[in-house]
Amino acid sequence: MVYEGARSITGPLLGTLGASALVVGLITGAGEAAALLLRLVSGPLADRTARYWTLTILGYGLTAVCVPLLALAPAVGGAGLAVAGLLIVAERIGKAIRSPAKSTLLAEAAGQVGRGRGFAVHKALDQIGAFAGPLLVAALVAAFTLQSALAALAIPGALAMALLFWLRPRFPAPLSHDVRIISGHLPLRFYLFAVAMAASTAGLVTFGLISYHASEAGGLPLATVPLLYAAAMAAGAVAALLSGHLYDRWGPKVLYALPALAAAMPALAFAGSMPAIVAGTLLWGAAVGVQDSTVKALVADLVAAPRRATAYGVFAAIQGVAALGGGVLAGALYGYSITLLAVVLAVLQGVAAVLLAVTRA
C-alpha cells in the first residue's frame, strides 16, 4: 500500500515541485535502476552474514519512513524537488536492500506448504496492497490534498513494521552457511532460466506506455488511470494464486503461461477501443502477477539455500537490464508502428518460451 500508493502519484508530485518530464524520468528511472542493480550487493551480503531479518526490516523501514516524508517536500521551498528526488530514490534503495533477504525468508517458509503456493499468497497480498494503495491516495487527494494522502501512508507503513517486529522472533532466519558453499558458482540452469525470463521481461511493456496509449488513443480520463492500474493489480493477484497452485501440482511447465499471456497482450492493450485496452491491461497485470510470484518459486528450486539471496539479487539485476532495454525498444517502436511493436514483443516471448524449454530439459 505504501510504495504503490506513492508510485501512483509520484509524477504529479514532482510536477508540482517544478520538475520537467525529463527530470521525472531521470528520478524515477534512477530509483528503479537502484532497486534492481543494488541487489547484486544486498543478495550476497545476506548470504554471507545470514542477517536476513536485519536487511528485510531495514529495507521496509526505509520505505515506511521515506514515503510519508514526501508530504513535507513542498514545505521546504526551492529545495523541495531535490528532497523529493532523494526520498524517492532512497525508498527504491530500501527495496533493493530487503528483496533478496525477504525472498529467501519466503522460500524457507514456503517450503513447508509448497513454494508455488507460498510465493503466490505473498504476491496476492502484495497485489491487494497495490490495488488499495492507489485507491486510498486517489480518495484522499480528491477529498483533501496530495500532501495529506502521502502523509496518511505512514499508517500502513507503521502497521507493516509492527508486524515484522512481531514476526521476527517467531520465524528464525536460516543459519549462516559454510563460506565455501556461499562462494560457489550459481548453477547453469539458473542462468538459462534468468535469460529466459529476461527475454520475457524485455517483451513485456510497462504500464506507463499502456496508460499513455490509453489516454492518448483511447481517450481515458487522467483521473481514471489509477483505477485501470488497480484493476491490473487485481488480475495479477488472481493469476499469482492460480499459477502458484498449479506450479506445486505440475511443476515449471506452468510458467509457459507467462510468455503466452505477454504475447497476447500488445494486440489488445494497444488497440483503438477502450474495451480492448482494458482487456489487454488485465492480461498485462496477470503476466506481472506470474512473473513476480511463481517465477521466484522456480529460482528457489534451482538454487541451494546457501546461495538463494545471491541468486535473487543476480536474477533481479538481469531482469532490470532487460526491462531497461525493452522499455527503450517499446517506446521507439510505438512511435513508428504499433503493429511492428506487437510482432517484436511476440517474438521476444517466443524466445522466452524456447529458453524455458531448454531450462527444463
Side-chain angles (χ1 to χ4, degrees), residues 26-266:
L26 286 174
I27 291 174
T28 56
E32 293 309 312
L36 292 166
L37 296 178
L38 289 180
R39 298 183 206 189
L40 287 171
V41 177
S42 63
L45 178 64
D47 281 333
R48 288 182 178 278
T49 64
R51 296 185 180 276
Y52 299 103
W53 270 113
T54 300
L55 292 170
T56 297
I57 290 174
L58 175 61
Y60 278 113
L62 274 173
T63 292
V65 170
C66 290
V67 167
L69 284 179
L70 284 170
L72 301 178
V76 296
L81 179 57
V83 170
L86 288 173
L87 288 171
I88 289 169
V89 174
E91 187 280 317
R92 294 285 83 193
I93 290 174
K95 186 169 180 61
I97 291 172
R98 72 178 179 256
S99 287
K102 173 209 67 179
S103 295
T104 301
L105 291 171
L106 282 168
E108 186 79 10
Q112 304 173 34
V113 297
R115 289 202 175 95
R117 280 179 288 179
F119 277 101
V121 168
H122 164 257
K123 184 58 182 177
L125 292 171
D126 186 59
Q127 296 296 82
I128 289 172
F131 177 84
L135 292 184
L136 173 64
V137 167
L140 290 175
V141 169
F144 302 102
T145 64
L146 175 57
Q147 289 74 28
S148 64
L150 290 167
L153 292 173
I155 298 173
L159 290 173
M161 296 308 297
L163 283 169
L164 285 171
F165 282 110
W166 176 85
L167 182 60
R168 180 175 184 171
R170 290 165 174 79
F171 183 74
L175 298 175
S176 58
H177 304 285
D178 191 318
V179 174
R180 291 171 298 178
I181 298 176
I182 296 173
S183 301
H185 295 293
L186 294 170
L188 176 60
R189 289 182 66 201
F190 162 78
Y191 284 108
L192 288 172
F193 180 58
V195 173
M197 292 301 98
S200 183
T201 296
L204 186 63
V205 299
T206 65
F207 180 75
L209 188 59
I210 294 174
S211 60
Y212 175 85
H213 176 79
S215 297
E216 294 294 322
L220 183 69
L222 182 61
T224 60
V225 171
L227 299 180
L228 184 63
Y229 182 73
M233 295 299 97
V238 174
L241 287 171
L242 179 60
S243 65
H245 176 74
L246 294 177
Y247 178 87
D248 289 335
R249 294 186 62 184
W250 297 346
K253 63 184 178 182
V254 74
L255 289 175
Y256 286 119
L258 177 56
L261 288 169
M265 179 272 298

Side-chain angles (χ1 to χ4, degrees), residues 123 127 204-205 233 236 258 283-293:
K123 184 58 182 177
Q127 296 296 82
L204 186 63
V205 299
M233 295 299 97
L258 177 56
L283 283 180
W284 174 84
V288 170
V290 176
Q291 185 183 55
D292 203 30
S293 61

